[in-house]
Amino acid sequence: MEKMEQYEREHFDTLRELAPECAVLLKRRGDFPLEAPGKIALYGSGGRRTVKGGTGSGDVNSRFYITCEQGLRDAGFTVTTQKWLDGYDAVMNAAHISFIAGIKERAKREHKSPFILGMGAVMTEPEYDLPLEGEGDTAVYVLARNSGEGNDRTLSAGDYMLTGTEIRDILAANERYEHFMLVLNVGGPVDLTPVLKVDNILLLSQLGVVTGTVLADILLGRAQPSGKLATTWAAAEELPKLGDFGGDDETRYKEGIYVGYRYYESAGVKPVFPFGYGLGYTDFSYGAARLELEGHRVQVTVPVFNSGAFPGKETVQVYVSVPWGKLDQPVKTLAGYSKTGTLLPGEAQGVKVCFDMAELAAFDEEKSAYVLEKGRYTVFVGRSSDDTAAAGAVELTGDVTLREVEHVGGKPDFEDWRPEHRKTAELPERAKVLKLDPGAFSDIRFPECAKPSEKALETAGRLSDEELILMCCGRFSGSLGIDGIIGSASLSVAGAAGETCGSIKGIRGLVMADGPAGLRLAKRYYIDKRGVPQSVDSTLPAGFEELMNGASKMLIDLTRKKPTEEIRYQFCTAIPIGTAIAQSWNTELARSVGVIVGEEMERFGVDLWLAPALNIHRSPLCGRNFEYYSEDPLISGRTAAAVTLGVQSRPGRGVTIKHFCCNNQETNRYCSNSILSERALRETYIRGFGICIAEANPAAVMTSYNLLNGTHTSEREDLSAVVLRREWGWRGLIMTDWVMSVVGDNQKYPVALSAPTIAAGNIFMPGSRSDWRAALKELKRGALPREKAVRCASQVIDLVDTLG
């Protein structure tokens, strides 16, 4: 391990303590944990080439990270498979050369940029032929998968499916070694059906700098895995086929609200590992659950007893079966959850899970209202979505219209899928049924419409047309170059993604750094004679320069600054990926991880973190799912809120929750049209954002690249002015994702434009001279109303005042 500064050591130690809660034990036989380190045979792509987190903006330029091989050696193990690991390196290096050549050939054939085609493209695992000759009676096979922004995963061997050689060697090692653990160093599901006979399977996930260290700690019992799945793991043939995925131009969300476990249970399909599932080294038993009703809030109290031989933590999950009346409903919906503290063998803890009945409201498109239909709301308590027992019910004696709202989002050209029927939830004979009168909801109050401050409006109103549009765009220098394309457009912090325009009327710029697995900054930089920080190293993601043609490489060489002054360093800590954090089902853990990011923002002068990301895991094939939390909006919203509270506990630091909304595939992400119903939009795809805003008040929101029912999300005033401002009463900054015209013109739908984006209330990032000129032209000819540009600019001014 390289020498660390004090803050790095503190953050490493904190993550080492927290991250085991993000790991999920999927199967166990009882022969782990090991008593002591000894000889160990290490196999698999992730053994030495461990993935700390995905590619693209989700990557972090940390000083180092601990691979599985290094983690085992540091813990005192003797790795006996040096020859195998060296042989696998040679196989991977040869495969990588062919992979890059294939991208370039495809780009030439399709007349596209290899840079764009290669963005986020991940090589599938190659086949290999290496003998299993490691000594010892213990072996670990680390199966790794990588993914990233710009490309989606595929149902192919070496990606969602296992390769023939992976299956062969995993099964052979399982037979050969007395103690064998299959370790999954992945950011999302893989189809494990060919190797389910393996008795010990650990979803290690991708845990940032501590990945290999945490593996060793878990194998030796120094730490206990206590995670639960935040997304369903299913075989390839079990994946839903109701809607589209991965189309170049349009994606139809025909499954409606039936995403993840809501689909599997409603369609009667049993997945390999259900939502919420996860074991530990120990066992837990539950006592009888008790339900209490206060107003329209339900409290479920459950005694949890550690009946096993090891310490551990358990997550109690509460689901509700909402009555199927006018509106169809899933079999059950997650309503709340709570995790115990560490329980020693024989210890017990009473766990309380609370939820508000109002949070179960469905959206009635005909009424344009959130409603609760009368009937029995059956409450289930259990360990996962399909391992629950009915504990009681709440009987709502009449229909309730909670809130009437405006229609938003447009309409699809299809009707949502719905199950033909649903079984009625059975209650035990002595289960309590609590009566709830509709009048109990009369105390619900909704936020007032958010408006800019008068001071900000006055300041923005005094700006010239040129200054006003500058304030509505990101800060730029000349035309948009390669740095802007890759999210490294800041002029104040080396490697930061961008910043708002500064120096107008004394208003400072806000520096933004990418995420969400930690701050993405340049490792090394220097301050030039003008006082501007310059990156020493390439800010391109790994492998991108290989995709450049001669002219592009020359441009990079010409623009890359040569050090003339003292080299400085900014090493950021790679935290666990979003999905791993959600797998902890622990909001305090998520908050602690946010504090780490906030502290490093202070250290390096970053105002806004472009994270957390909380898009829904609509399909396990989305290449960016590793950045996102879950298929469930409640977990997504609460986890994002906890991370937000952690970051924003540091003075002057803010987060940017993203991508609002329906960024659920990476294929043609700049110009893909997500087509879905308003019910699906409100109940599934924006609900988590609303939870995060209500619980944590994030500083900013980033819109998504895609279109929503034919209009770019950044250009939809119904999302910004109606949902965010009017319905949710939120006053923060709204910005676009990093819009690029580099994608070309041969698209069915164009890229987002600066003038309509500003009119909708979004600042246009990262900004370029051409974007500024286009918006200024529309302002001067009256197509962009000045009052809308003033309101857009005023949000920047307000946030500068808020952050200080």
Side-chain angles (χ1 to χ4, degrees), residues 306-319:
N306 184 344
S307 55
F310 295 92
K313 295 184 177 183
E314 171 69 340
T315 299
V316 175
Q317 302 166 42
V318 173
Y319 297 82

Side-chain angles (χ1 to χ4, degrees), residues 48-49 81-93 128-130:
R48 176 176 290 170
R49 295 170 173 262
T81 49
Q82 181 80 28
K83 184 178 179 181
W84 192 97
L85 295 169
D86 290 344
Y88 190 81
D89 277 346
V91 171
M92 286 292 286
N93 290 337
Y128 60 86
D129 190 14
L130 301 167

Side-chain angles (χ1 to χ4, degrees), residues 230-298:
T231 200
T232 304
W233 280 47
E237 62 269 18
E238 296 167 348
L239 296 180
K241 300 177 179 62
L242 301 173
D244 306 333
F245 177 82
D248 272 341
D249 298 317
E250 288 152 348
T251 300
R252 288 173 170 79
Y253 293 41
K254 294 181 181 179
E255 70 281 358
I257 63 171
Y258 295 92
V259 176
Y261 70 93
R262 292 173 172 83
Y263 162 77
Y264 287 102
E265 296 207 348
S266 299
V269 177
K270 190 170 181 62
V272 176
F273 296 112
F275 173 83
Y277 172 83
L279 306 173
Y281 283 147
T282 194
D283 295 303
F284 295 95
S285 58
Y286 290 15
R290 185 176 76 252
L291 269 65
E292 296 175 282
L293 183 63
E294 183 175 345
H296 42 82
R297 289 191 62 80
V298 179

Side-chain angles (χ1 to χ4, degrees), residues 614-616 629-641 688 692:
L614 62 153
N615 292 103
I616 293 296
Y629 295 121
S630 175
E631 66 190 31
D632 182 83
L634 179 64
I635 288 187
S636 298
R638 285 192 178 172
T639 307
C692 181

Side-chain angles (χ1 to χ4, degrees), residues 182 212 638 657 736:
L182 171 59
R638 285 192 178 172
I657 60 174
T736 68

Side-chain angles (χ1 to χ4, degrees), residues 67 167 461 492:
T67 66
I167 296 169
S492 303

